[in-house]
Amino acid sequence: MLAGTINSVAGGGGLIAFPALLVVGIPPINANATNTVGLWFGTAASAIAYRQELAHQKMLWLLSSVSVVGGVGGAYILLHTPEATFESLIPYLMLIGTVLFATGKPLIKWLRSRNQHLSNFRLPTIVVLLLQLAIAIYGGFYGGGVGILMLTVLEVMGIQNMHTMNGMKTWLATCINAAAIVYFMLSQTILWQQAIVMALGSLIGGYGSAKFARQLHPSLIRYVVIGIGSIITAYFFWHQHRN
């Protein structure tokens, strides 16, 4: 529920939900797959809410196709990574996710401040698609901070409307995770009992807290997420060093 609430305001709920699964003893790869399912429903619901902003985006289907391919590729890499190797990567993945979440908004603001200088600059379509493919592979593998990466690419593409950017980012994240989930299902990696509980909690938290969440400043939520993410990251580094 907390992750759903945080996602509805500032994003970053996965930085809390994924470690929670590890704490209760779920193996890391199963926890990652289960976390993807648990939070997907909230993301999909948000994507539907942005349908008007998505209606006339010419590159959306190309980006969606690349996202699906990358999501499957990332899930494949995850499931072919030894459990011990992935466990050793967890502190670094948490660190990457926390840093991206902490620095992403200032980066977007900086890009917007440079918009006059970038107004005539557009990335070639093939470069955009390759960047989205790389982001989607990372998203299928782990995904912490993936939304910030997509917003950065969309900004450099020249999309200026923030609602359109958020809509495209949410839809593409939905595509990435849906593709990964299908692969996880076929590989029987998802722990469905936990995933269903997480999905219900995420939906209740995201929908039920909407009125309360609007009264909170998004920056406050961001600071809370960054603080929690930093503490959890430090704990995983300490735990790895101790072992």
Side-chain angles (χ1 to χ4, degrees):
M1 289 175 67
L2 179 60
T5 301
I6 289 172
N7 276 341
S8 71
V9 181
L15 293 174
I16 294 173
F18 173 60
L21 289 167
L22 297 176
V23 168
V24 298
I26 295 175
I29 290 178
N30 296 97
N32 197 28
T34 303
N35 178 61
T36 300
V37 177
L39 298 182
W40 180 82
F41 292 94
T43 306
S46 297
I48 294 171
Y50 279 111
R51 59 187 178 275
Q52 290 184 346
E53 285 78 7
L54 299 175
H56 305 292
Q57 297 304 311
K58 296 179 181 179
M59 282 192 64
L60 188 61
W61 290 110
L62 272 176
L63 290 170
S64 300
S65 301
V66 167
S67 297
V68 169
V69 173
V72 172
Y76 175 87
I77 294 171
L78 174 67
L79 297 190
H80 287 78
T81 300
E83 191 86 44
T85 301
F86 184 71
E87 189 170 4
S88 69
L89 290 174
I90 288 174
Y92 301 96
L93 293 171
M94 286 292 301
L95 178 62
I96 290 170
T98 303
V99 169
L100 286 173
F101 186 80
T103 60
K105 191 171 183 180
L107 177 60
I108 296 296
K109 284 185 176 180
W110 180 81
L111 286 171
R112 285 193 169 277
S113 71
R114 301 284 296 176
N115 199 45
Q116 290 182 346
H117 302 282
L118 295 172
S119 59
N120 296 321
F121 174 76
R122 296 290 184 274
L123 287 173
T125 300
I126 186 63
V127 174
V128 171
L129 294 177
L130 289 174
L131 285 172
Q132 182 60 25
L133 178 63
I135 291 170
I137 290 172
Y138 169 69
F141 181 78
Y142 174 64
V146 71
I148 297 299
L149 293 173
M150 286 191 286
L151 283 175
T152 304
V153 171
L154 292 171
E155 177 73 34
V156 180
M157 279 175 60
I159 298 174
Q160 298 181 0
N161 187 298
M162 195 62 194
H163 295 299
T164 301
M165 288 173 61
N166 275 326
M168 291 184 69
K169 177 261 295 181
T170 304
W171 168 254
L172 295 174
T174 302
C175 292
I176 293 169
N177 290 332
I181 287 169
V182 171
Y183 192 88
F184 293 147
M185 288 173 60
L186 295 175
S187 303
Q188 299 182 339
T189 311
I190 301 165
L191 301 180
W192 284 105
Q193 182 178 351
Q194 289 86 342
I196 291 170
V197 171
M198 285 184 66
L200 290 173
S202 177
L203 288 170
I204 292 170
Y207 181 79
S209 66
K211 184 177 180 180
F212 169 73
R214 289 192 185 98
Q215 299 173 1
L216 298 175
H217 198 284
S219 295
L220 175 62
I221 302 295
R222 285 181 58 82
Y223 293 142
V224 170
V225 174
I226 292 167
I228 293 174
S230 300
I231 292 169
I232 293 172
T233 300
Y235 167 78
F236 280 121
F237 272 112
W238 172 80
H239 186 268
Q240 187 180 85
H241 178 72
R242 189 185 66 173
N243 293 336

